[in-house]
Amino acid sequence: MIHPNVPLIFQPEIAKHKPENIRHPHNYCPFCDTAHLTNILAQKGDKIWLVNKYRTLKDTYQTVLIESANHNGDASNYSVAENRSIFAFANQCWHNLIETGAYRSVLLYKNFGPMSGGSLKHPHFQIVGLTHKDGYQDITPDNFQGLTVFQEPGFTLNLSTYPIVGFLEFNLIIADPAQTTKLADTAQVVIKYILNDYFHGICDSYNLFFYDFNGKIICKIIPRFVMSPYFVGYKIPQLNDEQRLLAIKKELLAKLTQ
C-alpha cells in the first residue's frame, strides 16, 4: 500500500528539456506552433487539449489545455464570450478525464505569471490524473469558507478565512457543475482586479485551482508572490486582518456591480 502522504516524484532529466518563455520571452513557444502538436485529445476552435509532451511527474497522466491561439491571451483581456467558452471547455475536458475512472483524483489548475510556477507564457490549463495520490486529502470544507462578497442562488464568491496558503484566496462556488458561465464571468473580474488593482497593480501572477467538491464546482484564485516562510517551513497559512478583507470586499464588489 502506498503511504497517503507520499510526495509526487519529480523527474529532472525530463524537466531539463522543457521549453521556457516566461523569463525569456523570445524563446520558442510550442503552443504557437500548432502544426507540430501531437497526441491531441480534443479540440474546439483554437482551444486544444493534448497530452503533455514533458511528463515530469511519476505515476501521473499529465495533459495541457491550450486556451487560445493568442500567445498573450488571458482572462484579463479575453472577450466575455471567449472566456466563457474557455471555462466551459476546460470543465468538460476535466470531467471527461474524471469519468474514465482511471485515476484516484484528477486536478485542473492554471499558472499565470513568473511567480505562479509555470514555464510557458502562452495561456493554458493543466489537467493531471494522479494514479495513487488523493489530491484532495489535505483539503477541507473550511478552505472554501469565508467573508461573502457576492451571493445569488447557486453561486457564491467569498474571501477565504481558512486559506490553504494565504494571504488572500478568492473562492468561487457554483452549485450546478454544468453552469460555468457565472464562474467564468466572476473569475474574469477577479483576475482583472488582481492584476490591475490589488497591491496597486504590482501583482503579476496568479493561480486558478478547481475542485469538484461535495457536488459543487469551486474555483480558488490565489494572487502569487514569494511564498511565506511560515507556510514553507511549518504549513501555517497567514490571513489578512478583517479591516483589509473588508476593504478588498468593497473594492471587488464595486467591480462586480459596474
Side-chain angles (χ1 to χ4, degrees):
M1 180 178 178
I2 295 176
H3 192 284
N5 291 326
V6 69
L8 294 175
I9 303 302
F10 182 71
Q11 303 178 101
E13 283 302 306
I14 296 175
K16 71 181 184 182
H17 299 292
K18 289 177 61 177
E20 185 278 326
N21 58 30
I22 286 185
R23 298 191 181 278
H24 302 89
H26 299 296
N27 283 357
Y28 168 73
C29 178
F31 297 161
C32 287
D33 187 11
T34 55
H36 291 93
L37 295 175
T38 59
N39 292 322
I40 293 174
L41 302 169
Q43 186 166 359
K44 185 175 183 180
D46 60 354
K47 297 179 287 296
I48 303 171
W49 181 33
L50 69 159
V51 178
N52 193 329
K53 185 176 180 180
Y54 300 94
R55 295 184 287 280
T56 59
L57 298 172
K58 285 187 177 181
D59 297 319
T60 66
Y61 179 62
Q62 294 176 262
T63 72
V64 173
L65 191 155
I66 302 170
E67 297 176 19
S68 168
N70 179 3
H71 180 77
N72 296 307
D74 178 58
S76 61
N77 57 42
Y78 294 142
S79 70
V80 169
E82 184 177 12
N83 191 60
R84 287 177 177 178
S85 180
I86 289 166
F87 269 69
F89 186 63
N91 185 58
Q92 178 186 352
C93 294
W94 177 35
H95 280 90
N96 285 350
L97 194 57
I98 291 172
E99 288 163 9
T100 66
Y103 305 98
R104 186 170 181 191
S105 55
V106 179
L107 310 182
L108 169 63
Y109 68 96
K110 175 179 176 175
N111 304 320
F112 178 90
M115 303 301 294
S116 68
S119 59
L120 290 176
K121 179 177 175 60
H122 197 115
H124 64 285
F125 288 84
Q126 299 195 48
I127 305 175
V128 181
L130 306 182
T131 305
H132 305 299
K133 186 79 172 177
D134 178 3
Y136 293 178
Q137 70 179 30
D138 295 319
I139 303 300
T140 72
D142 285 345
N143 295 134
F144 306 122
Q145 302 299 314
L147 175 66
T148 299
V149 176
F150 178 83
Q151 191 168 36
E152 62 182 30
F155 176 78
T156 299
L157 166 63
N158 68 47
L159 306 178
S160 185
T161 47
Y162 296 92
I164 297 172
V165 178
F167 288 75
L168 179 63
E169 298 178 9
F170 302 85
N171 296 315
L172 289 65
I173 306 168
I174 54 173
D176 182 350
Q179 298 300 317
T180 60
T181 296
K182 189 67 179 180
L183 190 68
D185 290 353
T186 308
Q188 189 166 34
V189 173
V190 171
I191 289 167
K192 288 180 179 179
Y193 171 77
I194 288 170
L195 298 178
N196 299 321
D197 300 285
Y198 181 59
F199 261 85
H200 308 290
I202 67 169
C203 181
D204 62 357
S205 304
Y206 66 83
N207 288 113
L208 303 182
F209 299 102
F210 292 80
Y211 310 82
D212 190 324
F213 198 83
N214 291 342
K216 299 177 180 179
I217 299 297
I218 302 169
C219 175
K220 183 180 281 285
I221 307 179
I222 306 180
R224 290 298 304 275
F225 297 95
V226 174
M227 191 72 71
S228 161
Y230 289 96
F231 185 80
V232 173
Y234 307 101
K235 293 187 179 180
I236 301 174
Q238 295 182 73
L239 178 67
N240 284 302
D241 63 22
E242 184 179 15
Q243 182 179 359
R244 179 62 177 135
L245 286 179
L246 289 170
I248 291 170
K249 173 183 175 177
K250 182 178 179 181
E251 292 165 3
L252 190 55
L253 191 57
K255 302 287 183 183
L256 288 165
T257 55
Q258 283 180 348

